[in-house]
Amino acid sequence: MLFLYRISIYSYQFGIWLASFFNPKAKLWIEGRRKQRLVTLKESIWFHFSSLGEFEQGRPVLEKLRTENTSVKTVVTFFSPSGYEVRKNTPLADFVYYLPLDTRKNAREFLSAINPKIAVFTKYEYWYFMMDELYQREIPLYMISAIFRPQQIFFRSYGGFYRNMLLLAQHFFVQDEVSKTLLKEINIDNVTVSGDTRFDRVWENAQNVKPLEAIEAFKAGQQVFIAGSTWPPDEDLIARLVLIYPNWKFILAPHEIGKEKISNLLQKFQKEKTVCYSEITADLDLLKQKQVLVIDNIGLLSRLYQYGNLTYIGGGFGTGIHNTLEAAAFGLPVIFGPVYHKFKEAKDLIELNAGFSVVNEASLENIVARLITDEGFYQQASTKAKNYTKQNTGATDKIMNYIQTHDF
């Protein structure tokens, strides 16, 4: 099985290399790893994240460990360019790298360079050679905000190699009891149900959010519908709402912001009523005349929700929805597409009548109409969304108490 794992790793790299000739993101994946040079450290704390979303998820633990251990260098790695390119200059790390391709040689060289005292991986990241090398060197690996489902390969009859990979971790901090039970069934007991650190991150953001002058000018006292992390199928639905509600303002923050993507998105709206964030000038009065604002940069979305009345989270017509909790923390009812079943918080919000799944234009228009016209229904959804977020905070403290007790 290890042979097949190696083959899959090299096959993936080859596929990315081929894609790099026409895909900018794939090119960054290849070039970023080829060009990076490691700095040798005496000791470090290593955090690894798949992408930007996982960085924000694990950020509360990163911040606390860094604050409470100022004498130790902090190393952050990303698998994806969408995380590395946005956070490569973060003040929360002394060094930011791409995660090297998972080979035995790369794992040995990487760990020999950064010399981690502990390693912290977030949610789904499992890399055999990196994990095995940590284990061989007796460096504790903590998996935080981990979540498991029965359908995952760890719990299949043919998943022995991957089950053994889990044995390489020092401790699992899982999001729910289901995950703990699944691990127990395969004889893994080094588990704590801590919850999801994303709740801590989004709640803190909502309580300390900074204003955005341009967005306030655009809002101009009107109701605002915010569509975050959208893809083309999501944007097609939103375009219809723009026509139905001419007195509402709409802010769209697409998941991808390449020139072609933004150009295709703009074609769905009336040109004279639409403006890109990058086009905003010092004359903010012009924004009052616009109905649609397209956010063509990264990193602003979590601050936009403070101006919203309703929100739609994209990805639900593809592989899965994006972060619903950022909006819920502001007390916004959350709407999303049909692919949400891998996300516990989405299912929880639906059960509370604070989140709503739609499958087409008609279902979206129906729930938006009800939320707009039924004030009691809206207020109840808003309150439940906010309370749900607040009540599920605390994961960071549970994780920190354990790590500080055992390793510092």
Side-chain angles (χ1 to χ4, degrees), residues 127-387:
W127 299 103
Y128 174 76
F129 290 111
M130 285 292 177
M131 294 175 68
D132 187 57
E133 195 64 27
L134 287 167
Y135 184 82
Q136 297 300 329
R137 297 180 185 218
E138 299 184 347
I139 300 168
L141 167 62
Y142 294 105
M143 311 297 300
I144 67 171
S145 294
I147 189 164
F148 294 93
R149 299 181 302 278
Q151 299 80 12
Q152 289 173 306
I153 194 170
F154 309 111
F155 313 107
R156 301 288 191 177
S157 60
Y158 50 83
F161 172 78
Y162 294 93
R163 283 193 291 275
N164 289 335
M165 195 185 301
L166 298 180
L167 298 174
L168 302 173
Q170 176 83 7
H171 202 86
F172 291 87
F173 295 95
V174 298
Q175 295 186 26
D176 56 22
E177 289 288 345
V178 172
S179 296
K180 182 177 182 179
T181 299
L182 286 169
L183 290 175
K184 187 175 181 61
E185 289 173 355
I186 57 172
N187 300 314
I188 294 177
D189 297 311
N190 50 330
V191 182
T192 298
V193 179
S194 60
D196 189 345
T197 52
R198 280 184 303 169
F199 286 96
D200 298 322
R201 173 60 185 155
V202 299
W203 185 253
E204 180 185 10
N205 174 67
Q207 304 312 300
N208 300 285
V209 65
K210 296 180 181 179
L212 292 162
E213 184 181 7
I215 306 303
E216 291 179 350
F218 171 75
K219 179 181 174 74
Q222 293 180 254
Q223 303 282 86
V224 177
F225 189 105
I226 298 176
S229 301
T230 58
W231 295 83
D234 306 304
E235 293 149 8
D236 291 339
L237 299 184
I238 304 303
R240 171 68 178 169
L241 285 183
V242 172
L243 298 176
I244 296 175
Y245 296 100
N247 294 324
W248 274 64
K249 295 292 186 92
F250 289 80
I251 299 176
L252 282 87
H255 183 69
E256 296 186 349
I257 58 168
K259 284 188 177 182
E260 184 177 353
K261 296 286 186 181
I262 294 295
S263 176
N264 291 338
L265 172 57
L266 293 175
Q267 292 176 19
K268 299 177 182 180
F269 304 99
Q270 294 181 345
K271 185 176 181 179
E272 66 277 8
K273 292 185 178 181
T274 305
V275 63
C276 286
Y277 190 82
S278 61
E279 298 172 343
I280 294 175
T281 65
D283 187 4
L284 297 181
D285 286 338
L286 292 175
L287 287 174
K288 297 178 182 179
Q289 304 168 22
K290 304 295 183 179
Q291 185 188 8
V292 179
L293 174 61
V294 174
I295 308 298
D296 52 351
N297 66 7
I298 297 292
L300 206 60
L301 182 57
S302 63
R303 296 171 64 189
L304 294 176
Y305 291 122
Q306 63 182 303
Y307 299 104
N309 300 97
L310 288 177
T311 186
Y312 177 100
I313 304 300
F317 288 90
T319 58
I321 58 172
H322 295 285
N323 192 338
T324 55
L325 293 179
E326 285 182 336
F330 286 95
L332 296 181
V334 184
I335 306 169
F336 41 82
V339 184
Y340 66 86
H341 297 90
K342 291 182 179 179
F343 303 90
K344 180 181 183 299
E345 66 279 5
K347 292 186 286 187
D348 289 345
L349 288 168
I350 286 177
E351 188 174 339
L352 291 169
N353 258 350
F356 309 92
S357 176
V358 298
V359 297
N360 52 31
E361 286 185 357
S363 57
L364 175 60
E365 291 167 17
N366 287 339
I367 189 57
V368 169
R370 185 177 180 188
L371 286 165
I372 289 176
T373 59
D374 188 336
E375 185 175 349
F377 180 69
Y378 175 88
Q379 289 299 333
Q380 187 177 56
S382 173
T383 299
K384 286 184 176 180
K386 190 170 186 177
N387 288 344

